[in-house]
Structures are given as C-alpha cells and as structure tokens.
Amino acid sequence: MLPADPSALAGYRLLGRLGAGGMGVVYLGRTDAGELAAVKVTLADRAERPDFRSRFRREVEAARRVVSPFAVPVLGADPDAPEPWLATAFVPGPSLGEAIAEHGPLPGPSLRVLGGAVARALAAVHAAGLVHRDVKPGNVLLAVDGPRLIDFGIARSADPDGETALTGTDMVVGTPGFLAPEQAEARTGDIGPASDVFAFGCLLAYAATGRPPFGTGAVDALMYRTVHAEPDLAGVPAGLLPLLRECLAKDPAARPTAEALAARLVVDTPGTAADWLPAPVVRTIAERSARMLALPDIDPTNIPAAAPPTGPGRRRFLLLAGGAGVLAAGGGGTWLALRDGDGGRTDGKQPGPPPKTRKWTIGVQADLSGPGKDIGQAQERGVRLAVEAFNSGKDKPFTLDVKVSDDRGDQSRGAAAARVLTSDPDVLGIIGPSHDYTGYAALPAYDEARLPVLTVSAGYNLLTNPVLGQGLSVVRLCTQHNYAALYLAYHALAKSPRPLTRPGLLQDRTDDNYSWQYVVGASIGFKGSGVLPHPRVVPAGAKRLERVLGEMVDAGIDAYVHAGLAPSAVRAARTLDKLGFTGMRIAGQHVYGDEFLRGAGAAAEGWVVGAPIVPPGIRKQAAAFTAAHRARYGTDPAPYTGEAYDAVAMLAGQVEKAFKGGRRPDRTTLPGLLKKATFKGIMGDYGFKEDGNLTGVGTYVYTVRNGRYEPLDWAPSAPPKPAGTPGPSSSPQGS
C-alpha cells in the first residue's frame, strides 16, 4: 500500500495492491466476515472525464448480467461514487497464462474441462446480450472447482445499435493474438458473439500447445497473421482439432455458437482442482490458498519504509497469493502486477540481478504440410539436429532454439510465413524457404528485415537479384536452376557414349519458371560446345507430351533433357521406353525423388538426374550426423537434411564470431559476413559470390540403377575438352 492509498472502502478493508493501470488501482479487500474481494477503484480525475461514468456503469451492468458458475460474480459497486468502484469475488489461483508459462500446456482432460467451462461462461455472456471482446489467458483464472472468466471492462452490447459502444469505431479493442479478424481490422459492425468464439479457439489452442496459434511478435504482424494466415495447431490433441478449426474460421458466420461449444465439450463439474488440473498447478493453487489464510492482522495504510523489508511482508504474501489476475485496473484488458524490489523472494534476502540466459532462435520457413512436405520436414530435422549439436558444446556463450513457420508450399502464404519469423527479434537467421515460389513471395519481408536467409533447395534465379535490389540477405547453398542445367549439359557432353549432335530439350510449362530456366541453361551449355539442340515446348499439364516426344525421336535426337516436374518425367520415361529410345536421358532437381522412381518403374533405369544434395553415406564427415539422425528419428537422413544441418552450423559459427562483449550481434550484419565466409561442412565445402550465390557447382549427379538413385559425382563445371583429350575432372562443391 502507498501513502495515498485508503485503508478502507465501502465496507472492505484494503490489504494491498493487486495491480495498477492508467485508469485506477485494483486492491485486495476483505469484509468483516473474512470474505476476500478484488476491489477496482477508478482515479478521481478519470471519473470526471466525459462519458466515463456511463462507461463504468455499463461495465458494472455487464458483469451483473452474466450469471454463470464459471464467471466471477460482482459483490458490489458504486458508479456514482467520487471514485467509482467495483468489487468482485477474489479467486486465489493463477491465471491460465501464468499456469501455462510456469507448468506448460494442459493435458487432454484438463483442456475439455477448461473449454467446457469457458464456453458455458461465454454462452451466459451472449445470453445476456453482451460480447466479452477480450477472451485471453490472463482473463481466465484457475480455481479449485473450475476456471473463471473475468474482466468485463470492455464488454459491450451484442447489438452495436442497441447502446453506445465503449470505444470508437476505428479502434482495435482486445489483445493481439487473441482476437478475431474482424476485431483486428476494427470492423465494428462485424464484431459479435462469434468474435468471442474465435478468441475462445485461440485460448484453447494456447492451453493445448503453450503458444498462441498466430505466433508472437510485433502487434502489426500479429494482426496481419490473424486476418490472413492459418493458425498453428501443431500439438493440439486430435480430438479437439475439428472444433478449433471451426472456432478459428475467418468468416464469423462459419463459427459455432458458445452454447454449441459448451454442449460438445460438456464434462462433469470438477469437485476439486485435483479432479481436473495437473498436479503442479494444483500445488500452486494450494500454496496460494494457504497464504491467504496466513494473512496478518489488518493495519491502516502501510507507509513504505526506506530500509528493505526483513520478512515476507504483507504485500509479498498478496502477490504470491495470485491477486494479480482478477481485474484489469484500466478496464482495457491489461494487467500490471505489483512488483517488490526483491523480485518476489519470500525469504527476506536481497538477491542480485536475475540470471540472464542468452537463447536465440534459428527460424525455419518450409513446406511442412503441403506437396513438398518431405523436403521441408527433412530440412527441419537437419536444423534441429544442428541446434542440438551446437547446444551440447562446452563453454557456448549462448544457446539456440528453433522456430518453425509452415508455408504449406502455397505461394499466397509465403509472405505471412516469413513475417512470423522476421517479427520475432530473437530470430537471428532463417533456414529456408524450401520452395521456389513461397521463397519469392517472402522476399519483401526478408529484404525489409535484412536478416540472413540460407536456402538449401530454392534455386529460382530471382531469389537473388542485386540489379532489382531483391534478395540482398539471401545466401544460397544450392545452385540456381539455370546453372544446374548448364552443368548437366556439360555432364551429358562428357559422358555420352557417343558424341552428341542433336540433344532434345523439352520444356513442360506446368512450372514455367523452373522449366524455362532449365531449358535456357542446358541450351547455353550445348551451344557453347558447338552442339545445336532440338527444343520443344508443351503446354501446362504436359498436354500432347507423348505426341511431341514421338516427333522429337523421329527428328533424330540423340539425348533428351527433361525440363519439367516428376509427373511429366514419368510419362516421358515410359514413352521414350516404348519408342525404343536409347540415348542419354537427363532431368533436374524437381524430378529427383521417389515419385519418379515409383511412377516410371523399369522405364526410369539409366536416367541421369541432378540435384543439389549429396548422399551422406559417401561422406565420412557425415558419419556422426548420420548416426545421430538414426538415433533420433530411426531412419537414415533424407535428402536436404544434411544440407540444412550445414546451413545452421555455418550461421551459428558466424554468430559466435560476431558475438562480442556479451551483446547480441546485429542480425542485419550477418548476411555480409556469410557471403565472405568459406565453410567446410559435413556435406561439402561452401563459398559464395557477392550476390549470395554459391561458387563452384553444387549439383550432384545420380543415375537410376535397379530402381534406386546411384550417386556418380559432382557435375563438371566446364564443357569437355575436344575429342581425343581427357574429359574434365569433377569440381568439388564450393571450390
């Protein structure tokens, strides 16, 4: 209590402050009968502002209209007092946010009790003709007999024309990360009970996973993701996923009602905390309840002494009793907990500064659930293994964590997925994107943030374009598609059983940018050696593919380069096999994979395929990594896992070098350091040009034998020498 604080108010003896905000103070009060209450008192100068008393009166009326065992009841109020006040029952338990932060996500049975109770409370709110508008972890208290919904400070009528709204029509009201799209965009006319249901979905997802479904970070980023991005529901129990997806629908009309949710989550009312909460949370409630019983005698206003306290102190008891989670002092959904100078110690000792753990984050943007999920998941595994390896080292000045953003391989999600990572100040670098076009869509976000982006699979040429000022922070550990095709043309010229005179180039426009880059690169390689290719193009969907291939064989092609994706490569392999074509058949990165082997079957035999990956089994440097992957995941590493591992190791090495004097390095300086660095990784050696592209070849060549990809060597970096002289030696990656 401060010198200016009253010792009593309206029959309540005030024991201490629970919180304070710009609008007033929340005290812990006790009646003569021993009943505890949270007493919210508004400052006198605020009370005299126009319309304030009417707003406060609406809050009181709203709280009184809600009748539910899972909503904190109003014990008394006086909106007309010189300093308007409101008292509600005090719950000596932690907020949901406190419990999750301290003890982690709730288990399935607890989630159903939590969801059922909060849904019943919201149903009562909506039945009273109100919208809560701030359903968040801090506004749900965990009590022995179930959760309690609190704080109706910004509640309003569900009918926007039925009464004057408490805020302006252009003001966003609520807590970012736990509000609906219509709230994020301040679409006042669309805000209604369905908005609370969206927030309920966010709350339940947070309780299940320990993280908000739309991430954390800057407010504008949270708002954007709420409106445009899909929620992150990884880790939510399968039985709750359909319900949460319905709650988090962007369209308010598609969401269920709170009453319907309560019916779907109906559970027996818990008798005690032990019946519905994990043991650690039960202990927290028990400890706080015990401290409530140990409150000392009530004294008048306690004037702070100059000397530090020598005992636990009344205010410290109150803070530990969970009082900072009952009402928002300003009526706007923001809690300011009372803090003593000793950081909450109850032993009377004055500790030094709290220990600071340096823990920074490696971001991963990848397709983890879309058509390219195999590649994206492989890269995520590589990142996690590299982070674990780094953290296990001795005398590390910091540790690393991993934050993942799934773009699902959908170009329209690329920018939003990137901003999940760029808005987090603890993210020092990005591994990914795993896909060409989600990467290109993400470029504006990464260019703006200027943090390093290391991709091991996106070969789209426009990801790095200094002329256009694009991709200035991108460091590419793989070859651009056009250069990869150039090197494969050199391989064909060097390894063909007979000199090539008319190689065929087929461009399948299903992925127009990729196939065009491959045709251009291969054409340059052949023409530079004096060989004129025979190019043909088929429309998207590989329409007329078989007919065009027949025409190419009739025209006398003696090699075939497939500039397209795996589905059309399967058709090409089968067609060429039927036509009896025996020349070299070549394809690139987007054909490499099991889809081609399974689809083409025996017709795939003998095909040459290039990709920016090395088999870990042929690299002795990768032996420990392979063993670690087997121990962790039970399988050998998939393609792109080792390359992602190398990317993290390289980035972490530069962060260590830049770490000076205990200060975090400026992440915007890291791209320049990486581009100047050379690195010996488990999968090869890496070096970079000024534009962030890989020096050397970076394309490994495989041939299909017995239904498997058999590794050959690095593709050559130069055309073969004239006939009669030895062919070029293979160029190591990064040389």
Side-chain angles (χ1 to χ4, degrees):
M1 299 284 280
L2 301 180
D5 287 331
S7 59
L9 178 69
Y12 293 95
R13 298 299 300 268
L14 304 185
L15 308 179
R17 286 183 168 217
L18 300 179
M23 303 297 288
V25 182
V26 180
Y27 299 100
L28 178 68
R30 185 164 64 184
T31 66
D32 291 341
E35 182 181 23
L36 293 174
V39 184
K40 175 181 177 179
V41 182
T42 303
L43 301 177
D45 61 334
R46 299 283 181 178
E48 298 308 317
R49 293 188 178 186
D51 297 329
F52 178 83
R53 288 186 185 274
S54 60
R55 292 175 59 191
F56 193 90
R57 187 174 289 106
R58 289 193 192 96
E59 178 183 350
V60 173
E61 293 172 353
R64 280 176 168 162
R65 284 160 63 181
V66 178
V67 179
S68 170
F70 300 111
V72 174
V74 174
L75 302 179
D78 187 355
D80 298 316
E83 292 185 331
W85 60 271
L86 167 69
T88 63
F90 178 77
V91 180
S95 70
L96 176 63
E98 291 178 278
I100 299 298
E102 185 172 353
H103 304 298
L106 297 180
S110 299
L111 291 172
R112 297 192 70 83
V113 173
L114 172 73
V118 175
R120 289 174 64 184
L122 284 177
V125 171
H126 300 161
L130 300 170
V131 182
H132 189 284
R133 298 203 297 172
D134 200 21
V135 180
K136 62 179 181 179
N139 280 342
V140 174
L141 303 182
L142 305 182
V144 292
D145 55 349
R148 297 289 191 278
L149 180 65
I150 64 169
D151 193 1
F152 295 87
I154 60 173
R156 69 165 196 174
S157 170
D159 178 7
D161 298 324
E163 61 181 43
T164 304
L166 304 188
T167 57
T169 57
D170 295 328
M171 183 180 296
V172 174
V173 177
T175 301
F178 294 90
L179 44 71
E182 58 269 22
Q183 290 176 283
E185 294 185 316
R187 304 196 314 262
T188 306
D190 293 334
I191 297 173
S195 305
D196 286 345
V197 170
F198 189 97
F200 169 87
C202 295
L203 178 108
L204 204 56
Y206 171 80
T209 65
R211 62 184 186 278
F214 295 99
T216 58
V219 170
D220 58 347
L222 280 173
M223 297 290 198
Y224 181 90
R225 294 196 293 269
T226 298
V227 175
H228 300 289
E230 292 301 315
D232 174 13
L233 299 179
V236 172
L240 287 176
L241 278 174
L243 180 142
L244 287 185
R245 290 194 178 105
E246 292 177 34
C247 292
L248 297 175
K250 303 299 185 188
D251 181 5
R255 301 170 200 152
T257 65
E259 187 175 3
L261 290 173
R264 291 168 66 176
L265 290 167
V266 64
V267 292
D268 292 335
T269 302
T272 66
D275 294 335
W276 79 282
L277 285 172
V281 182
V282 174
R283 285 195 294 271
T284 299
I285 295 175
E287 291 169 0
R288 295 188 177 192
S289 299
R291 287 175 180 142
M292 285 294 96
L293 297 175
L295 284 171
D297 293 336
I298 299 173
D299 295 326
T301 301
N302 181 20
I303 300 176
T310 57
R314 177 182 292 111
R315 287 186 295 157
R316 201 163 301 108
F317 269 128
L318 300 180
L319 180 62
L320 291 174
V326 181
L327 285 172
T334 302
W335 267 107
L336 297 177
L338 179 67
R339 300 180 185 275
D340 279 345
D342 61 6
R345 290 286 294 267
T346 59
D347 55 9
K349 298 179 180 179
Q350 293 293 308
K356 295 183 178 180
T357 302
R358 301 185 186 97
K359 190 171 187 179
W360 299 323
T361 302
I362 302 294
V364 179
Q365 181 181 342
D367 176 3
L368 299 175
S369 58
K373 64 182 180 181
D374 290 345
I375 292 175
Q377 291 171 0
Q379 292 183 28
E380 181 189 359
R381 287 183 173 188
V383 170
R384 293 192 182 279
L385 286 173
V387 165
E388 290 175 6
F390 180 87
N391 290 342
S392 66
K394 295 182 179 179
D395 302 323
K396 291 293 183 183
F398 56 88
T399 59
L400 295 174
D401 201 355
V402 180
K403 183 173 184 176
V404 177
S405 185
D406 181 7
D407 58 35
R408 302 184 184 178
D410 182 347
Q411 186 173 356
S412 66
R413 296 174 54 88
R419 293 194 185 280
V420 170
L421 303 174
T422 60
S423 61
D424 186 340
D426 288 334
V427 172
L428 292 186
I430 310 296
I431 308 303
S434 61
H435 189 279
D436 285 341
Y437 307 125
T438 56
Y440 189 65
L443 269 188
Y446 289 133
D447 283 339
E448 179 184 3
R450 289 291 193 269
L451 77 167
V453 180
L454 293 82
T455 181
V456 300
S457 57
Y460 186 32
N461 61 337
L462 292 183
L463 285 177
T464 50
N465 194 320
V467 176
L468 297 178
Q470 295 177 169
L472 299 181
S473 63
V474 174
V475 179
R476 198 188 322 243
L477 282 73
C478 59
T479 307
Q480 294 183 74
H481 295 315
N482 49 347
Y483 280 97
L486 173 71
Y487 302 143
L488 287 175
Y490 292 161
H491 174 85
L493 291 166
K495 301 297 183 180
S496 176
R498 54 187 180 274
L500 296 180
T501 60
R502 196 170 177 79
L505 305 180
L506 186 127
Q507 179 184 355
D508 168 14
R509 297 190 63 183
T510 301
D511 185 338
D512 201 19
N513 289 319
Y514 167 80
S515 60
W516 177 81
Q517 290 176 77
Y518 251 78
V519 164
V520 169
S523 182
I524 291 173
F526 289 127
K527 289 180 179 179
S529 299
V531 176
L532 187 64
H534 179 73
R536 293 300 303 272
V537 180
V538 294
K543 299 174 182 177
R544 301 186 295 116
L545 173 64
E546 287 79 6
R547 176 182 171 184
V548 170
L549 287 172
E551 294 172 355
M552 295 175 74
V553 172
D554 289 343
I557 63 171
D558 51 6
Y560 172 76
V561 176
H562 186 85
L565 307 182
S568 59
V570 168
R571 290 167 57 189
R574 291 176 173 176
T575 301
L576 291 173
D577 199 43
K578 290 179 181 179
L579 294 172
F581 181 74
T582 59
M584 183 177 286
R585 291 144 293 167
I586 303 164
Q589 174 181 349
H590 287 350
V591 171
Y592 182 94
D594 291 340
E595 181 180 359
F596 176 65
L597 296 181
R598 290 194 305 265
E605 291 294 306
W607 273 64
V608 171
V609 184
I613 48 177
V614 185
I618 70 170
R619 297 275 302 175
K620 63 181 181 180
Q621 298 93 328
F625 157 76
T626 301
H629 191 282
R630 288 171 180 161
R632 174 71 181 274
Y633 299 108
T635 64
D636 285 338
Y640 299 100
T641 308
E643 286 73 18
Y645 183 100
D646 276 351
V648 174
M650 185 170 66
L651 175 60
Q654 291 303 314
V655 172
E656 276 195 283
K657 290 180 181 179
F659 181 77
K660 296 178 181 178
R663 299 181 62 185
R664 184 178 72 173
D666 180 353
R667 64 185 187 178
T668 65
T669 66
L670 294 175
L673 297 175
L674 288 164
K675 292 175 184 179
K676 295 177 182 179
T678 57
F679 179 73
K680 292 184 178 297
I682 62 169
M683 309 308 292
D685 301 344
Y686 304 84
F688 305 94
K689 304 173 186 176
E690 291 183 3
D691 62 1
N693 281 306
L694 189 70
T695 58
V697 180
T699 296
Y700 207 85
V701 181
Y702 301 80
T703 188
V704 179
R705 288 201 180 109
N706 300 318
R708 301 178 63 182
Y709 292 106
E710 181 176 304
L712 296 178
D713 206 342
W714 293 105
S717 59
K721 296 179 180 179
T725 60
S729 60
S730 298
S731 174
Q733 182 172 355
S735 64

